[in-house]
Amino acid sequence: VEGASVFVLRLGHRPGRDRRVTTHVGLVARAFGAKGMFLTVEDKSVVESLRDVVERWGGEFSVRVASDWRGLLRRWKGVVVHLTMYGEPLDERLEELRRARGEVLVIVGAEKVPQWVFRRADYNISVGSQPHSEVAALAVFLDRFFCGEELRRDFKGRMRIVPSSRGKKVVTE
Ligand code: SAM
């Protein structure tokens, strides 16, 4: 799992309305160990703010637009995991998912997710069977998937936080 490549597909982004949440999906994806994110709709402000974070804070994280997201899903060689409150409990499938080979694509939605996605996904997984948020679902999924190791990664960024009990310490190279 340490070296597993996970990518996130953000479905159904509505420019304007979902800007902040989609940006947070990207920030969480990066900070919690994913290698990149696909947007289905071009939204320059989201792409730019995420690339800006990568430029300053480091890490390898790609942000790409996949307008043909159905094609992306059809061609995806690895495992496709759709996070949905209607799915199977994460705990029941976690070990199996961790053993999966190839690149893992994790789908999170915004509004209603098309039925086709439920059928195409290799796994429909819930993080608790209650409605909450794509940001929370993604964070918990990635943290469980990487067993918390992702929080100790060195992003080798131009900017780096020196953890402290009080105040803000940031080193800039
Ligand atoms: N009402 C929408 C539906 O029926 O698909 C879901 C809206 S929810 C705010 C947006 C996204 O959050 C979902 O597409 C899903 O990816 C994620 N999500 C929300 N609750 C979840 C849960 N309990 N488990 C997994 N994912 C969840």
Side-chain angles (χ1 to χ4, degrees):
V1 170
E2 178 54 24
S5 293
V6 177
F7 291 83
V8 174
L9 171 62
R10 164 56 156 170
L11 265 194
H13 168 79
R14 295 157 294 184
R17 187 179 162 166
D18 289 325
R19 191 166 287 163
R20 197 172 144 80
V21 178
T22 300
T23 304
H24 284 197
V25 166
L27 291 174
V28 163
R30 171 184 169 276
F32 286 70
K35 295 251 167 81
M37 174 168 108
F38 295 97
L39 287 169
T40 56
V41 181
E42 173 81 66
D43 190 328
K44 282 206 170 65
S45 69
V46 173
V47 173
E48 276 165 21
S49 62
L50 289 172
R51 286 187 181 153
D52 179 59
V53 168
V54 175
E55 196 274 315
R56 286 185 294 142
W57 294 94
E60 278 173 36
F61 187 78
S62 60
V63 186
R64 283 171 279 179
V65 178
S67 322
D68 178 21
W69 58 269
R70 286 174 195 263
L72 177 82
L73 282 177
R74 281 195 195 97
R75 290 188 299 271
W76 195 264
K77 293 275 192 302
V79 175
V80 175
V81 178
H82 169 218
L83 296 181
T84 164
M85 64 180 178
Y86 305 105
E88 299 180 282
L90 175 58
D91 284 349
E92 289 178 14
R93 292 293 193 177
L94 191 57
E95 289 309 318
E96 201 176 321
L97 288 171
R98 285 217 194 96
R99 285 195 300 269
R101 301 217 163 255
E103 294 179 331
V104 179
L105 183 65
V106 181
I107 305 172
V108 291
E111 238 183 356
K112 204 172 183 324
V113 173
Q115 268 304 314
W116 183 81
V117 174
F118 285 74
R119 291 196 299 273
R120 165 60 186 98
D122 299 301
Y123 297 91
N124 288 289
I125 297 291
S126 64
V127 179
S129 303
Q130 297 295 323
H132 50 84
S133 147
E134 50 272 51
V135 179
L138 182 62
V140 171
F141 176 85
L142 291 173
D143 189 59
R144 296 273 171 92
F145 185 84
F146 290 118
C147 313
E149 289 289 324
E150 80 286 355
L151 299 182
R152 288 188 280 275
R153 272 184 199 176
D154 181 1
F155 284 79
K156 299 186 168 61
R158 225 167 23 81
M159 290 175 73
R160 214 164 31 81
I161 289 170
V162 182
S164 66
S165 58
R166 280 197 187 79
K168 303 176 184 176
K169 278 188 203 150
V170 181
V171 178
T172 309
E173 274 164 23

Coordinates of all heavy atoms in Angstrom, one line a residue, residues 64-108:
R64 N -5.9 17.2 -13.6 CA -6.3 17.2 -15.0 C -7.8 17.2 -15.2 O -8.5 16.8 -14.3 CB -5.7 15.9 -15.6 CG -4.2 15.9 -15.8 CD -3.7 14.6 -16.2 NE -3.5 13.7 -15.0 CZ -3.0 12.5 -15.1 NH1 -2.7 11.9 -16.2 NH2 -2.8 11.8 -14.0
V65 N -8.2 17.7 -16.4 CA -9.6 17.7 -16.7 C -9.9 16.5 -17.6 O -9.2 16.3 -18.6 CB -10.0 19.1 -17.4 CG1 -11.4 19.0 -17.8 CG2 -9.7 20.2 -16.5
A66 N -10.8 15.7 -17.3 CA -11.2 14.6 -18.1 C -12.7 14.8 -18.5 O -13.6 14.2 -17.8 CB -11.0 13.3 -17.3
S67 N -12.9 15.6 -19.5 CA -14.3 15.8 -20.0 C -14.9 14.5 -20.4 O -16.1 14.2 -20.1 CB -14.3 16.8 -21.2 OG -13.4 17.8 -21.0
D68 N -14.1 13.6 -21.0 CA -14.6 12.3 -21.4 C -14.4 11.3 -20.2 O -13.6 10.4 -20.3 CB -13.9 11.8 -22.7 CG -14.4 10.4 -23.0 OD1 -15.5 10.0 -22.6 OD2 -13.6 9.7 -23.7
W69 N -15.1 11.6 -19.1 CA -14.8 10.8 -17.9 C -15.3 9.4 -18.0 O -14.8 8.4 -17.4 CB -15.3 11.5 -16.7 CG -16.8 11.8 -16.7 CD1 -17.4 12.9 -17.1 CD2 -17.9 10.9 -16.3 NE1 -18.8 12.8 -17.0 CE2 -19.1 11.6 -16.5 CE3 -17.9 9.6 -15.7 CZ2 -20.3 11.0 -16.2 CZ3 -19.1 9.0 -15.4 CH2 -20.3 9.7 -15.6
R70 N -16.4 9.2 -18.9 CA -16.8 7.8 -19.1 C -15.8 7.0 -19.8 O -15.5 5.8 -19.5 CB -18.1 7.8 -19.9 CG -19.3 8.2 -19.1 CD -20.6 8.3 -19.9 NE -21.6 9.1 -19.2 CZ -22.6 8.5 -18.6 NH1 -22.7 7.2 -18.5 NH2 -23.5 9.3 -18.0
G71 N -15.1 7.6 -20.8 CA -14.0 7.0 -21.5 C -12.9 6.7 -20.5 O -12.3 5.6 -20.5
L72 N -12.5 7.6 -19.6 CA -11.5 7.4 -18.6 C -11.8 6.2 -17.8 O -11.0 5.3 -17.5 CB -11.4 8.6 -17.7 CG -10.4 8.5 -16.6 CD1 -9.0 8.8 -17.0 CD2 -10.8 9.5 -15.4
L73 N -13.1 6.1 -17.4 CA -13.5 4.9 -16.5 C -13.5 3.6 -17.3 O -13.1 2.6 -16.8 CB -14.9 5.2 -16.0 CG -15.0 6.1 -14.8 CD1 -16.5 6.4 -14.4 CD2 -14.3 5.6 -13.6
R74 N -13.9 3.7 -18.6 CA -13.9 2.4 -19.4 C -12.5 1.9 -19.6 O -12.2 0.8 -19.6 CB -14.5 2.7 -20.8 CG -16.0 2.8 -20.8 CD -16.5 2.6 -22.2 NE -17.9 3.0 -22.1 CZ -18.4 4.3 -22.5 NH1 -17.5 5.2 -22.9 NH2 -19.6 4.6 -22.4
R75 N -11.5 2.9 -19.7 CA -10.1 2.5 -20.0 C -9.3 2.2 -18.8 O -8.2 1.8 -18.9 CB -9.5 3.6 -20.9 CG -10.0 3.7 -22.3 CD -9.1 4.7 -23.1 NE -9.1 6.0 -22.5 CZ -10.0 7.0 -22.9 NH1 -11.0 6.7 -23.8 NH2 -10.0 8.1 -22.3
W76 N -9.8 2.6 -17.6 CA -9.0 2.5 -16.4 C -8.6 1.0 -16.1 O -9.4 0.1 -16.1 CB -9.8 3.0 -15.2 CG -8.9 3.2 -14.0 CD1 -8.7 2.4 -13.0 CD2 -8.1 4.4 -13.8 NE1 -7.8 3.0 -12.1 CE2 -7.4 4.2 -12.6 CE3 -7.9 5.6 -14.5 CZ2 -6.5 5.1 -12.0 CZ3 -7.0 6.5 -13.9 CH2 -6.4 6.3 -12.7
K77 N -7.3 0.8 -16.0 CA -6.7 -0.6 -15.9 C -6.9 -1.1 -14.5 O -7.0 -2.3 -14.3 CB -5.3 -0.6 -16.3 CG -5.0 -0.3 -17.8 CD -5.1 -1.5 -18.6 CE -4.6 -1.3 -20.0 NZ -5.3 -0.3 -20.8
G78 N -6.8 -0.3 -13.5 CA -6.8 -0.7 -12.1 C -8.2 -0.8 -11.5 O -9.2 -1.0 -12.3
V79 N -8.3 -0.7 -10.3 CA -9.5 -0.8 -9.5 C -10.3 0.5 -9.5 O -9.7 1.6 -9.2 CB -9.2 -1.3 -8.1 CG1 -10.5 -1.4 -7.3 CG2 -8.6 -2.7 -8.2
V80 N -11.6 0.5 -9.7 CA -12.4 1.7 -9.6 C -13.3 1.6 -8.3 O -14.1 0.6 -8.2 CB -13.3 1.9 -10.8 CG1 -14.2 3.1 -10.6 CG2 -12.4 2.0 -12.1
V81 N -13.1 2.5 -7.4 CA -13.8 2.5 -6.1 C -14.7 3.8 -6.1 O -14.2 4.9 -6.2 CB -12.9 2.6 -4.9 CG1 -13.6 2.7 -3.6 CG2 -11.9 1.5 -4.9
H82 N -16.0 3.6 -6.0 CA -17.0 4.7 -6.0 C -17.4 4.8 -4.5 O -18.0 3.9 -3.9 CB -18.1 4.4 -6.9 CG -19.3 5.3 -6.7 ND1 -20.6 4.9 -6.8 CD2 -19.3 6.7 -6.5 CE1 -21.4 6.0 -6.6 NE2 -20.6 7.1 -6.4
L83 N -17.2 6.0 -3.9 CA -17.6 6.3 -2.6 C -19.0 6.8 -2.6 O -19.3 7.8 -3.2 CB -16.7 7.3 -1.9 CG -15.2 6.9 -1.7 CD1 -14.4 8.0 -1.0 CD2 -15.1 5.6 -0.9
T84 N -19.9 6.0 -1.9 CA -21.3 6.4 -1.9 C -21.9 5.9 -0.6 O -21.5 4.8 -0.1 CB -22.1 5.8 -3.1 OG1 -23.5 5.8 -2.8 CG2 -21.7 4.3 -3.4
M85 N -22.8 6.6 0.0 CA -23.4 6.2 1.3 C -24.2 4.9 1.1 O -24.6 4.3 2.1 CB -24.3 7.3 1.8 CG -25.4 7.7 1.0 SD -26.3 9.0 1.9 CE -27.6 9.4 0.7
Y86 N -24.6 4.6 -0.1 CA -25.4 3.4 -0.4 C -24.5 2.1 -0.5 O -25.1 1.0 -0.7 CB -26.2 3.6 -1.7 CG -27.0 4.8 -1.7 CD1 -26.7 5.9 -2.4 CD2 -28.2 4.9 -0.9 CE1 -27.4 7.1 -2.4 CE2 -29.0 6.0 -0.9 CZ -28.6 7.1 -1.7 OH -29.3 8.3 -1.6
G87 N -23.2 2.3 -0.5 CA -22.3 1.1 -0.8 C -22.1 0.2 0.4 O -22.7 0.3 1.4
E88 N -21.2 -0.7 0.1 CA -20.8 -1.7 1.2 C -19.9 -1.0 2.2 O -19.1 -0.2 1.8 CB -20.0 -2.9 0.6 CG -20.7 -3.7 -0.5 CD -19.8 -4.8 -1.0 OE1 -19.0 -4.5 -1.9 OE2 -20.0 -5.9 -0.6
P89 N -20.0 -1.4 3.5 CA -19.1 -0.7 4.5 C -17.6 -0.9 4.2 O -17.2 -2.0 3.8 CB -19.5 -1.5 5.8 CG -20.8 -2.1 5.5 CD -20.9 -2.4 4.0
L90 N -16.9 0.2 4.3 CA -15.5 0.2 4.0 C -14.7 -0.9 4.7 O -13.9 -1.6 4.2 CB -14.9 1.6 4.4 CG -13.4 1.8 4.3 CD1 -12.9 1.6 2.9 CD2 -13.1 3.3 4.7
D91 N -15.1 -1.1 6.0 CA -14.4 -2.1 6.8 C -14.4 -3.5 6.2 O -13.5 -4.2 6.3 CB -15.0 -2.2 8.2 CG -14.6 -1.0 9.1 OD1 -13.7 -0.3 8.7 OD2 -15.2 -0.9 10.2
E92 N -15.5 -3.8 5.6 CA -15.7 -5.1 5.0 C -14.9 -5.4 3.8 O -14.7 -6.5 3.4 CB -17.2 -5.4 4.7 CG -18.0 -5.5 5.9 CD -19.5 -5.7 5.6 OE1 -19.9 -6.0 4.4 OE2 -20.3 -5.6 6.5
R93 N -14.4 -4.3 3.1 CA -13.7 -4.5 1.8 C -12.3 -3.9 1.9 O -11.5 -4.1 0.9 CB -14.4 -3.7 0.7 CG -15.8 -4.3 0.4 CD -15.5 -5.7 -0.3 NE -16.8 -6.2 -0.9 CZ -16.9 -7.3 -1.5 NH1 -15.8 -8.1 -1.7 NH2 -18.0 -7.7 -2.0
L94 N -11.9 -3.3 3.0 CA -10.6 -2.7 3.0 C -9.4 -3.6 2.7 O -8.6 -3.2 1.9 CB -10.4 -2.0 4.4 CG -9.3 -1.0 4.6 CD1 -9.3 0.1 3.5 CD2 -9.2 -0.4 6.0
E95 N -9.4 -4.7 3.3 CA -8.2 -5.6 3.1 C -8.1 -6.0 1.6 O -7.0 -6.0 1.0 CB -8.4 -6.9 4.0 CG -8.1 -6.6 5.4 CD -6.8 -5.9 5.7 OE1 -5.8 -6.2 5.1 OE2 -6.8 -5.0 6.5
E96 N -9.3 -6.3 1.0 CA -9.3 -6.7 -0.4 C -8.8 -5.5 -1.3 O -8.0 -5.7 -2.2 CB -10.8 -7.0 -0.7 CG -11.0 -7.8 -1.9 CD -12.5 -8.1 -2.0 OE1 -13.2 -8.3 -1.0 OE2 -13.0 -8.1 -3.2
L97 N -9.3 -4.3 -0.9 CA -8.9 -3.1 -1.7 C -7.4 -2.9 -1.6 O -6.7 -2.5 -2.5 CB -9.6 -1.9 -1.2 CG -11.1 -1.8 -1.6 CD1 -11.8 -0.7 -0.8 CD2 -11.2 -1.7 -3.1
R98 N -6.8 -3.1 -0.4 CA -5.4 -2.9 -0.2 C -4.6 -3.9 -1.0 O -3.5 -3.6 -1.4 CB -5.1 -3.1 1.3 CG -5.5 -1.9 2.2 CD -4.4 -1.7 3.3 NE -4.9 -0.9 4.3 CZ -5.5 -1.3 5.4 NH1 -5.5 -2.6 5.7 NH2 -5.9 -0.5 6.3
R99 N -5.1 -5.0 -1.3 CA -4.4 -6.0 -2.0 C -4.5 -5.8 -3.5 O -3.8 -6.5 -4.3 CB -4.9 -7.4 -1.7 CG -4.4 -8.0 -0.3 CD -4.6 -9.4 -0.2 NE -6.0 -9.8 -0.4 CZ -6.9 -9.9 0.7 NH1 -6.5 -9.7 1.9 NH2 -8.1 -10.3 0.4
A100 N -5.4 -4.9 -3.9 CA -5.7 -4.7 -5.4 C -4.4 -4.2 -6.1 O -3.6 -3.5 -5.5 CB -6.8 -3.7 -5.5
R101 N -4.2 -4.7 -7.3 CA -3.0 -4.3 -8.1 C -3.4 -3.1 -9.0 O -4.5 -2.9 -9.3 CB -2.5 -5.5 -8.9 CG -2.2 -6.7 -8.1 CD -1.0 -7.4 -8.6 NE -0.4 -8.3 -7.6 CZ 0.7 -8.0 -7.0 NH1 1.4 -6.9 -7.2 NH2 1.1 -8.8 -6.0
G102 N -2.3 -2.4 -9.4 CA -2.5 -1.3 -10.3 C -3.0 -0.1 -9.7 O -3.1 0.0 -8.4
E103 N -3.3 0.9 -10.5 CA -3.7 2.2 -10.0 C -5.2 2.2 -9.5 O -6.1 1.7 -10.2 CB -3.5 3.3 -11.0 CG -2.0 3.4 -11.3 CD -1.7 4.4 -12.4 OE1 -2.6 4.6 -13.3 OE2 -0.6 5.0 -12.4
V104 N -5.4 2.8 -8.4 CA -6.8 2.8 -7.8 C -7.4 4.2 -8.2 O -6.8 5.2 -8.0 CB -6.8 2.7 -6.3 CG1 -8.2 2.7 -5.7 CG2 -6.1 1.3 -5.9
L105 N -8.6 4.2 -8.7 CA -9.3 5.4 -9.0 C -10.5 5.5 -8.0 O -11.4 4.6 -8.0 CB -9.8 5.4 -10.4 CG -10.5 6.7 -10.9 CD1 -9.6 7.9 -10.9 CD2 -11.2 6.5 -12.3
V106 N -10.5 6.6 -7.2 CA -11.6 6.8 -6.3 C -12.5 7.8 -6.8 O -12.1 9.0 -7.1 CB -11.0 7.2 -4.9 CG1 -12.1 7.4 -3.9 CG2 -10.0 6.2 -4.4
I107 N -13.8 7.5 -6.9 CA -14.8 8.5 -7.4 C -15.6 9.1 -6.3 O -16.1 8.4 -5.4 CB -15.8 7.8 -8.4 CG1 -15.0 7.1 -9.5 CG2 -16.8 8.8 -8.9 CD1 -16.0 6.2 -10.4
V108 N -15.6 10.4 -6.3 CA -16.6 11.1 -5.3 C -17.5 12.0 -6.2 O -17.1 12.5 -7.2 CB -15.9 11.9 -4.2 CG1 -15.1 11.0 -3.3 CG2 -14.9 12.9 -4.8

